[in-house]
Amino acid sequence: MDYRLKLIGYPIQHSLSPWIHNKFLERTYLKGTYTLHEISLDASFDENILTLKKEEVDGFNVTVPYKEEIIPYLDMLDETAKQMGAVNTVVYREGKWIGYNTDGIGYLRSLESKYPTFFQDKSKRILLIGAGGAARGIYYALDRAGFDCIDIANRTKVSAEEIAKLATLSRNTKVVSLKEAEEGIGNYDLIIQTTSVGMKPNVDTSIFSFSQLKENAIASDIVYQPLQTKFLKEAEKNGAAIHYGHTMLLYQAQYAFEIWTNKKVPMDDLDLQLQAILEGR
Ligand code: ATR
């Protein structure tokens, strides 16, 4: 089988996904291509999708700003995509387009690859900063993984409250302001930054000020440009172990590739290779 895989979105010329998926094809010895299908702004989304259908792809990724807009064109959604209301991966299977969302599981896999023991103790306390699409996916995955405490801090509390509704019945998620989270930061074992604050070119900004952290706390930022965000630098200064954002990108892609091909790609040193690209080495 010759896999025809694509990425749709706009703009996508600088996407790292073709690099990642071509590495996956190489590593699994599967034949195929992963190419960009940039949405044309001169045509309607409807027309764009019609063109894509004609290309008879086996699967594709969907990126901003179309993760919600794609949904009416799909025949089925998996449970996570339903709960997210957003799709980033589509597979063509038995004549149907089926939508998935691999962000949450991708994040969990990335964390587990770096800090495997974290998952052995579900009483670990987690703080999620932000309440956008990424936060939603990560919250859902952490909740379903069974962690006891997942609190959410966001500038706009109502958005965080919306996410907290995804919780399984037993959970008691606290929604706090950013200031309250800063004051209580010593309570958490894992602090995850999911907003775009600190992303290039605004590298000197951080959504959060750190003070005394809990012993062995981990700070995680899903921003990967730059890799060393101000958030991570400050957390590290305060004694945190850190977790870089580019690994989520890799592992959500690993899960997408698995959906298309049924092959789980061994990651080995791919995170270091991607790190080198991001650091321009
Ligand atoms: P995505 O879907 O990629 O996660 P998003 O939906 O735009 O992105 O989410 C943006 C998140 O970043 C939100 O939590 C947003 O906070 P609000 O809900 O209060 O808007 C947060 N965010 C973005 N810019 C921010 C800023 N300058 N200060 C604080 N929070 C910010």
Side-chain angles (χ1 to χ4, degrees), residues 236-254:
E236 201 169 23
K237 265 194 231 153
N238 282 279
I242 60 172
H243 181 237
Y244 289 129
H246 73 302
T247 56
M248 174 176 173
L249 184 69
L250 278 173
Y251 282 89
Q252 61 78 22
Q254 183 200 43

Side-chain angles (χ1 to χ4, degrees), residues 199-244:
M199 195 183 282
K200 270 181 192 169
N202 305 312
V203 298
D204 291 328
T205 57
S206 172
I207 194 162
F208 211 74
S209 298
F210 285 95
S211 49
Q212 190 60 49
L213 288 173
K214 195 166 172 180
E215 204 178 335
N216 299 321
I218 301 168
S220 170
D221 197 333
I222 68 160
V223 169
Y224 55 86
Q225 281 176 319
L227 223 48
Q228 278 275 6
T229 57
K230 187 169 182 208
F231 175 88
L232 288 183
K233 281 188 209 158
E234 306 260 302
E236 201 169 23
K237 265 194 231 153
N238 282 279
I242 60 172
H243 181 237
Y244 289 129

Side-chain angles (χ1 to χ4, degrees), residues 64 129-135 154-157 159 178 194-197 207 222:
V64 283
I129 303 170
N154 194 44
R155 180 177 59 181
T156 312
K157 273 197 179 180
S159 323
L178 292 166
T194 70
T195 77
S196 52
V197 178
I207 194 162
I222 68 160

Side-chain angles (χ1 to χ4, degrees), residues 1-5 25 29-32 57-59 92 260-261:
M1 164 151 189
D2 218 336
Y3 285 97
R4 285 170 68 85
L5 307 169
L25 285 165
Y29 302 102
L30 292 172
K31 275 206 269 177
V57 292
D58 300 295
Y92 182 75
W260 296 326
T261 67

